Amino acid sequence: MHFYEKLLISIVLFLGVTIGTAGIIGNYVKVIENKKPVTKDHIIFDSL
């Protein structure tokens, strides 16, 4: 394979791994934040 083909494959793989990792971390943070207990001291403003 030529140098540019290897470079293009490396860039695509890097971007795929980066985007995949960001998605996994974002999903993990979303799940963790949804499991936080709601205390009765908080006021939730729904209609702002």
Side-chain angles (χ1 to χ4, degrees):
M1 289 193 335
H2 293 56
F3 172 75
Y4 293 112
E5 291 173 347
K6 292 180 183 178
L7 181 64
L8 183 63
I9 290 170
S10 298
I11 291 172
V12 169
L13 284 175
F14 174 76
L15 289 176
V17 169
T18 304
I19 292 171
T21 304
I24 291 169
I25 291 173
N27 191 23
Y28 174 75
V29 168
K30 184 174 69 172
V31 168
I32 293 300
E33 286 184 355
N34 286 340
K35 289 186 177 181
K36 287 183 180 177
V38 177
T39 61
K40 295 182 180 179
D41 297 335
H42 290 117
I43 299 172
I44 300 173
F45 295 101
D46 287 333
S47 60
L48 291 178

Short mmCIF file of all heavy atoms in Angstrom, two decimals:
data_model
loop_
_atom_site.label_atom_id
_atom_site.label_comp_id
_atom_site.label_asym_id
_atom_site.label_seq_id
_atom_site.Cartn_x
_atom_site.Cartn_y
_atom_site.Cartn_z
N MET A 1 0.84 -1.19 0.00
CA MET A 1 0.00 0.00 0.00
C MET A 1 0.88 1.24 0.00
O MET A 1 1.97 1.25 0.54
CB MET A 1 -0.91 0.00 1.22
CG MET A 1 -1.98 -1.06 1.13
SD MET A 1 -3.36 -1.00 2.30
CE MET A 1 -2.80 -0.16 3.69
N HIS A 2 0.36 2.27 -0.55
CA HIS A 2 1.09 3.52 -0.61
C HIS A 2 1.01 4.23 0.74
O HIS A 2 0.16 3.93 1.59
CB HIS A 2 0.52 4.42 -1.70
CG HIS A 2 0.75 3.89 -3.06
ND1 HIS A 2 0.35 2.64 -3.48
CD2 HIS A 2 1.34 4.44 -4.14
CE1 HIS A 2 0.68 2.46 -4.72
NE2 HIS A 2 1.29 3.54 -5.17
N PHE A 3 1.87 5.20 0.91
CA PHE A 3 1.93 5.93 2.17
C PHE A 3 0.60 6.64 2.47
O PHE A 3 0.13 6.65 3.60
CB PHE A 3 3.07 6.95 2.12
CG PHE A 3 3.10 7.89 3.29
CD1 PHE A 3 3.52 7.45 4.53
CD2 PHE A 3 2.67 9.19 3.14
CE1 PHE A 3 3.54 8.31 5.61
CE2 PHE A 3 2.68 10.05 4.22
CZ PHE A 3 3.12 9.61 5.46
N TYR A 4 0.01 7.25 1.45
CA TYR A 4 -1.22 8.01 1.66
C TYR A 4 -2.39 7.11 2.04
O TYR A 4 -3.27 7.52 2.80
CB TYR A 4 -1.56 8.85 0.42
CG TYR A 4 -0.54 9.94 0.18
CD1 TYR A 4 0.31 9.90 -0.92
CD2 TYR A 4 -0.41 10.99 1.08
CE1 TYR A 4 1.24 10.89 -1.13
CE2 TYR A 4 0.51 11.99 0.89
CZ TYR A 4 1.35 11.94 -0.21
OH TYR A 4 2.28 12.91 -0.41
N GLU A 5 -2.42 5.91 1.52
CA GLU A 5 -3.49 4.98 1.89
C GLU A 5 -3.36 4.59 3.36
O GLU A 5 -4.35 4.55 4.09
CB GLU A 5 -3.44 3.74 1.01
CG GLU A 5 -3.82 4.00 -0.43
CD GLU A 5 -3.61 2.78 -1.31
OE1 GLU A 5 -2.94 1.83 -0.86
OE2 GLU A 5 -4.11 2.79 -2.45
N LYS A 6 -2.14 4.32 3.80
CA LYS A 6 -1.93 3.99 5.21
C LYS A 6 -2.26 5.18 6.11
O LYS A 6 -2.86 5.01 7.18
CB LYS A 6 -0.48 3.57 5.44
CG LYS A 6 -0.12 2.25 4.80
CD LYS A 6 1.33 1.90 5.06
CE LYS A 6 1.72 0.62 4.38
NZ LYS A 6 3.14 0.29 4.59
N LEU A 7 -1.90 6.37 5.67
CA LEU A 7 -2.20 7.57 6.45
C LEU A 7 -3.71 7.78 6.55
O LEU A 7 -4.22 8.08 7.64
CB LEU A 7 -1.55 8.79 5.79
CG LEU A 7 -1.76 10.12 6.49
CD1 LEU A 7 -1.09 10.10 7.87
CD2 LEU A 7 -1.19 11.25 5.64
N LEU A 8 -4.43 7.60 5.46
CA LEU A 8 -5.88 7.78 5.47
C LEU A 8 -6.55 6.75 6.38
O LEU A 8 -7.45 7.09 7.16
CB LEU A 8 -6.43 7.67 4.04
CG LEU A 8 -7.93 7.90 3.89
CD1 LEU A 8 -8.29 9.31 4.32
CD2 LEU A 8 -8.35 7.65 2.46
N ILE A 9 -6.10 5.50 6.31
CA ILE A 9 -6.67 4.46 7.18
C ILE A 9 -6.39 4.78 8.64
O ILE A 9 -7.26 4.64 9.51
CB ILE A 9 -6.11 3.08 6.78
CG1 ILE A 9 -6.67 2.66 5.43
CG2 ILE A 9 -6.44 2.03 7.83
CD1 ILE A 9 -6.03 1.44 4.84
N SER A 10 -5.19 5.26 8.94
CA SER A 10 -4.84 5.62 10.32
C SER A 10 -5.70 6.76 10.84
O SER A 10 -6.17 6.73 11.97
CB SER A 10 -3.37 6.02 10.41
OG SER A 10 -2.54 4.95 10.04
N ILE A 11 -5.94 7.76 10.00
CA ILE A 11 -6.77 8.91 10.41
C ILE A 11 -8.20 8.46 10.65
O ILE A 11 -8.83 8.85 11.65
CB ILE A 11 -6.70 10.02 9.35
CG1 ILE A 11 -5.30 10.65 9.36
CG2 ILE A 11 -7.75 11.09 9.60
CD1 ILE A 11 -5.05 11.61 8.23
N VAL A 12 -8.75 7.65 9.77
CA VAL A 12 -10.13 7.17 9.93
C VAL A 12 -10.27 6.33 11.19
O VAL A 12 -11.24 6.48 11.95
CB VAL A 12 -10.58 6.40 8.68
CG1 VAL A 12 -11.88 5.67 8.91
CG2 VAL A 12 -10.70 7.33 7.49
N LEU A 13 -9.30 5.45 11.44
CA LEU A 13 -9.36 4.64 12.66
C LEU A 13 -9.25 5.50 13.91
O LEU A 13 -9.96 5.29 14.90
CB LEU A 13 -8.24 3.59 12.65
CG LEU A 13 -8.48 2.39 11.74
CD1 LEU A 13 -7.25 1.49 11.72
CD2 LEU A 13 -9.70 1.62 12.19
N PHE A 14 -8.36 6.49 13.89
CA PHE A 14 -8.21 7.38 15.04
C PHE A 14 -9.50 8.13 15.32
O PHE A 14 -9.94 8.22 16.47
CB PHE A 14 -7.06 8.35 14.80
CG PHE A 14 -6.92 9.39 15.87
CD1 PHE A 14 -6.38 9.06 17.10
CD2 PHE A 14 -7.35 10.69 15.65
CE1 PHE A 14 -6.27 10.01 18.09
CE2 PHE A 14 -7.25 11.64 16.63
CZ PHE A 14 -6.69 11.30 17.86
N LEU A 15 -10.12 8.67 14.27
CA LEU A 15 -11.37 9.41 14.47
C LEU A 15 -12.48 8.48 14.96
O LEU A 15 -13.28 8.87 15.82
CB LEU A 15 -11.79 10.09 13.16
CG LEU A 15 -10.93 11.27 12.74
CD1 LEU A 15 -11.40 11.78 11.38
CD2 LEU A 15 -10.97 12.37 13.77
N GLY A 16 -12.53 7.27 14.45
CA GLY A 16 -13.55 6.32 14.90
C GLY A 16 -13.38 5.96 16.35
O GLY A 16 -14.35 5.93 17.12
N VAL A 17 -12.15 5.70 16.77
CA VAL A 17 -11.90 5.36 18.18
C VAL A 17 -12.21 6.56 19.06
O VAL A 17 -12.80 6.42 20.14
CB VAL A 17 -10.44 4.88 18.37
CG1 VAL A 17 -10.08 4.79 19.83
CG2 VAL A 17 -10.24 3.54 17.68
N THR A 18 -11.83 7.76 18.63
CA THR A 18 -12.09 8.96 19.43
C THR A 18 -13.58 9.21 19.59
O THR A 18 -14.06 9.47 20.70
CB THR A 18 -11.42 10.17 18.76
OG1 THR A 18 -10.04 9.90 18.59
CG2 THR A 18 -11.58 11.41 19.61
N ILE A 19 -14.33 9.14 18.52
CA ILE A 19 -15.77 9.38 18.58
C ILE A 19 -16.46 8.28 19.38
O ILE A 19 -17.37 8.55 20.17
CB ILE A 19 -16.35 9.51 17.16
CG1 ILE A 19 -15.82 10.77 16.51
CG2 ILE A 19 -17.87 9.50 17.18
CD1 ILE A 19 -16.15 10.89 15.03
N GLY A 20 -16.03 7.05 19.20
CA GLY A 20 -16.60 5.94 19.97
C GLY A 20 -16.36 6.09 21.46
O GLY A 20 -17.25 5.88 22.28
N THR A 21 -15.14 6.47 21.83
CA THR A 21 -14.82 6.67 23.25
C THR A 21 -15.64 7.82 23.83
O THR A 21 -16.15 7.72 24.95
CB THR A 21 -13.32 6.95 23.41
OG1 THR A 21 -12.58 5.87 22.84
CG2 THR A 21 -12.95 7.08 24.88
N ALA A 22 -15.76 8.89 23.09
CA ALA A 22 -16.56 10.03 23.57
C ALA A 22 -18.02 9.63 23.76
O ALA A 22 -18.66 10.03 24.73
CB ALA A 22 -16.45 11.19 22.58
N GLY A 23 -18.55 8.82 22.86
CA GLY A 23 -19.93 8.36 23.00
C GLY A 23 -20.12 7.47 24.21
O GLY A 23 -21.11 7.59 24.93
N ILE A 24 -19.17 6.57 24.44
CA ILE A 24 -19.26 5.68 25.60
C ILE A 24 -19.18 6.48 26.90
O ILE A 24 -19.96 6.26 27.83
CB ILE A 24 -18.16 4.61 25.53
CG1 ILE A 24 -18.44 3.65 24.39
CG2 ILE A 24 -18.04 3.86 26.85
CD1 ILE A 24 -17.29 2.71 24.07
N ILE A 25 -18.25 7.44 26.97
CA ILE A 25 -18.10 8.26 28.18
C ILE A 25 -19.36 9.11 28.39
O ILE A 25 -19.85 9.25 29.51
CB ILE A 25 -16.85 9.13 28.09
CG1 ILE A 25 -15.61 8.24 28.16
CG2 ILE A 25 -16.82 10.19 29.19
CD1 ILE A 25 -14.31 8.97 27.92
N GLY A 26 -19.89 9.69 27.32
CA GLY A 26 -21.11 10.51 27.44
C GLY A 26 -22.29 9.69 27.92
O GLY A 26 -23.08 10.14 28.76
N ASN A 27 -22.44 8.49 27.41
CA ASN A 27 -23.53 7.61 27.84
C ASN A 27 -23.35 7.22 29.31
O ASN A 27 -24.31 7.19 30.07
CB ASN A 27 -23.57 6.37 26.96
CG ASN A 27 -24.82 5.57 27.18
OD1 ASN A 27 -25.82 6.10 27.64
ND2 ASN A 27 -24.77 4.29 26.87
N TYR A 28 -22.12 6.94 29.72
CA TYR A 28 -21.84 6.57 31.10
C TYR A 28 -22.19 7.72 32.05
O TYR A 28 -22.84 7.52 33.07
CB TYR A 28 -20.37 6.18 31.25
CG TYR A 28 -19.94 5.93 32.67
CD1 TYR A 28 -20.30 4.76 33.32
CD2 TYR A 28 -19.19 6.87 33.35
CE1 TYR A 28 -19.91 4.52 34.61
CE2 TYR A 28 -18.80 6.64 34.66
CZ TYR A 28 -19.16 5.47 35.29
OH TYR A 28 -18.78 5.25 36.57
N VAL A 29 -21.80 8.92 31.68
CA VAL A 29 -22.09 10.09 32.53
C VAL A 29 -23.59 10.31 32.61
O VAL A 29 -24.12 10.63 33.69
CB VAL A 29 -21.37 11.34 31.98
CG1 VAL A 29 -21.87 12.60 32.66
CG2 VAL A 29 -19.86 11.19 32.16
N LYS A 30 -24.30 10.14 31.51
CA LYS A 30 -25.75 10.32 31.51
C LYS A 30 -26.42 9.30 32.43
O LYS A 30 -27.33 9.65 33.19
CB LYS A 30 -26.30 10.20 30.09
CG LYS A 30 -27.78 10.47 29.97
CD LYS A 30 -28.23 10.49 28.53
CE LYS A 30 -28.13 9.09 27.96
NZ LYS A 30 -28.72 8.99 26.61
N VAL A 31 -25.98 8.06 32.40
CA VAL A 31 -26.56 7.02 33.24
C VAL A 31 -26.26 7.29 34.71
O VAL A 31 -27.13 7.16 35.57
CB VAL A 31 -26.03 5.63 32.81
CG1 VAL A 31 -26.38 4.58 33.85
CG2 VAL A 31 -26.61 5.25 31.47
N ILE A 32 -25.05 7.72 35.02
CA ILE A 32 -24.67 8.00 36.40
C ILE A 32 -25.48 9.18 36.95
O ILE A 32 -25.93 9.16 38.09
CB ILE A 32 -23.16 8.28 36.50
CG1 ILE A 32 -22.37 7.02 36.18
CG2 ILE A 32 -22.78 8.80 37.88
CD1 ILE A 32 -22.65 5.85 37.11
N GLU A 33 -25.65 10.23 36.13
CA GLU A 33 -26.41 11.39 36.61
C GLU A 33 -27.88 11.06 36.83
O GLU A 33 -28.52 11.65 37.68
CB GLU A 33 -26.26 12.56 35.63
CG GLU A 33 -24.90 13.21 35.69
CD GLU A 33 -24.79 14.41 34.79
OE1 GLU A 33 -25.75 14.67 34.03
OE2 GLU A 33 -23.76 15.07 34.84
N ASN A 34 -28.42 10.12 36.07
CA ASN A 34 -29.82 9.74 36.25
C ASN A 34 -30.03 8.91 37.51
O ASN A 34 -31.14 8.83 38.02
CB ASN A 34 -30.32 8.95 35.04
CG ASN A 34 -30.56 9.85 33.85
OD1 ASN A 34 -30.71 11.06 33.99
ND2 ASN A 34 -30.58 9.26 32.67
N LYS A 35 -28.97 8.30 38.04
CA LYS A 35 -29.09 7.47 39.23
C LYS A 35 -28.88 8.23 40.53
O LYS A 35 -28.98 7.66 41.59
CB LYS A 35 -28.08 6.32 39.16
CG LYS A 35 -28.43 5.27 38.14
CD LYS A 35 -27.49 4.10 38.21
CE LYS A 35 -27.89 3.03 37.23
NZ LYS A 35 -27.01 1.86 37.31
N LYS A 36 -28.57 9.54 40.43
CA LYS A 36 -28.37 10.32 41.65
C LYS A 36 -29.69 10.43 42.41
O LYS A 36 -30.74 10.70 41.82
CB LYS A 36 -27.86 11.73 41.32
CG LYS A 36 -26.43 11.76 40.86
CD LYS A 36 -25.98 13.18 40.62
CE LYS A 36 -24.54 13.22 40.17
NZ LYS A 36 -24.11 14.58 39.86
N PRO A 37 -29.67 10.25 43.71
CA PRO A 37 -30.91 10.36 44.48
C PRO A 37 -31.39 11.81 44.53
O PRO A 37 -30.60 12.74 44.62
CB PRO A 37 -30.52 9.85 45.86
CG PRO A 37 -29.05 10.06 45.94
CD PRO A 37 -28.53 9.90 44.55
N VAL A 38 -32.68 11.98 44.46
CA VAL A 38 -33.28 13.31 44.52
C VAL A 38 -33.63 13.59 45.97
O VAL A 38 -34.38 12.84 46.59
CB VAL A 38 -34.53 13.39 43.63
CG1 VAL A 38 -35.19 14.75 43.76
CG2 VAL A 38 -34.18 13.08 42.20
N THR A 39 -33.07 14.65 46.50
CA THR A 39 -33.39 15.02 47.89
C THR A 39 -34.59 15.96 47.88
O THR A 39 -34.88 16.62 46.89
CB THR A 39 -32.18 15.70 48.56
OG1 THR A 39 -31.86 16.88 47.83
CG2 THR A 39 -30.99 14.77 48.58
N LYS A 40 -35.24 16.06 49.01
CA LYS A 40 -36.44 16.88 49.11
C LYS A 40 -36.10 18.36 49.30
O LYS A 40 -37.00 19.19 49.34
CB LYS A 40 -37.30 16.38 50.25
CG LYS A 40 -37.83 15.00 49.99
CD LYS A 40 -38.72 14.51 51.10
CE LYS A 40 -39.21 13.11 50.76
NZ LYS A 40 -40.05 12.56 51.79
N ASP A 41 -34.83 18.70 49.42
CA ASP A 41 -34.43 20.09 49.60
C ASP A 41 -34.32 20.85 48.28
O ASP A 41 -34.21 22.06 48.28
CB ASP A 41 -33.09 20.17 50.34
CG ASP A 41 -33.19 19.59 51.73
OD1 ASP A 41 -34.30 19.58 52.29
OD2 ASP A 41 -32.15 19.16 52.24
N HIS A 42 -34.33 20.14 47.17
CA HIS A 42 -34.18 20.80 45.88
C HIS A 42 -35.52 21.25 45.34
O HIS A 42 -36.53 20.59 45.50
CB HIS A 42 -33.54 19.84 44.86
CG HIS A 42 -32.11 19.55 45.16
ND1 HIS A 42 -31.67 18.30 45.46
CD2 HIS A 42 -31.02 20.35 45.21
CE1 HIS A 42 -30.37 18.33 45.68
NE2 HIS A 42 -29.95 19.58 45.55
N ILE A 43 -35.50 22.39 44.69
CA ILE A 43 -36.68 22.92 44.01
C ILE A 43 -36.44 22.79 42.52
O ILE A 43 -35.43 23.25 42.00
CB ILE A 43 -36.94 24.39 44.39
CG1 ILE A 43 -37.18 24.49 45.91
CG2 ILE A 43 -38.11 24.94 43.60
CD1 ILE A 43 -37.26 25.91 46.38
N ILE A 44 -37.37 22.17 41.81
CA ILE A 44 -37.22 21.98 40.38
C ILE A 44 -38.16 22.95 39.67
O ILE A 44 -39.36 22.96 39.92
CB ILE A 44 -37.56 20.51 39.98
CG1 ILE A 44 -36.60 19.56 40.70
CG2 ILE A 44 -37.49 20.34 38.49
CD1 ILE A 44 -36.96 18.11 40.51
N PHE A 45 -37.59 23.79 38.81
CA PHE A 45 -38.37 24.73 38.05
C PHE A 45 -38.61 24.18 36.67
O PHE A 45 -37.73 24.13 35.83
CB PHE A 45 -37.62 26.08 37.94
CG PHE A 45 -37.43 26.76 39.26
CD1 PHE A 45 -36.20 26.69 39.91
CD2 PHE A 45 -38.46 27.44 39.85
CE1 PHE A 45 -36.01 27.32 41.11
CE2 PHE A 45 -38.28 28.08 41.07
CZ PHE A 45 -37.06 28.01 41.70
N ASP A 46 -39.83 23.71 36.42
CA ASP A 46 -40.15 23.11 35.12
C ASP A 46 -40.66 24.15 34.13
O ASP A 46 -40.53 23.97 32.94
CB ASP A 46 -41.21 22.04 35.28
CG ASP A 46 -40.66 20.78 35.93
OD1 ASP A 46 -39.45 20.54 35.79
OD2 ASP A 46 -41.46 20.04 36.52
N SER A 47 -41.24 25.24 34.59
CA SER A 47 -41.94 26.13 33.67
C SER A 47 -41.13 27.40 33.38
O SER A 47 -41.70 28.39 32.97
CB SER A 47 -43.29 26.52 34.26
OG SER A 47 -43.09 27.19 35.50
N LEU A 48 -39.83 27.36 33.58
CA LEU A 48 -39.05 28.58 33.28
C LEU A 48 -38.80 28.65 31.83
O LEU A 48 -38.13 28.52 31.10
CB LEU A 48 -37.76 28.61 34.10
CG LEU A 48 -37.97 28.80 35.59
CD1 LEU A 48 -36.64 28.76 36.31
CD2 LEU A 48 -38.62 30.17 35.84
#
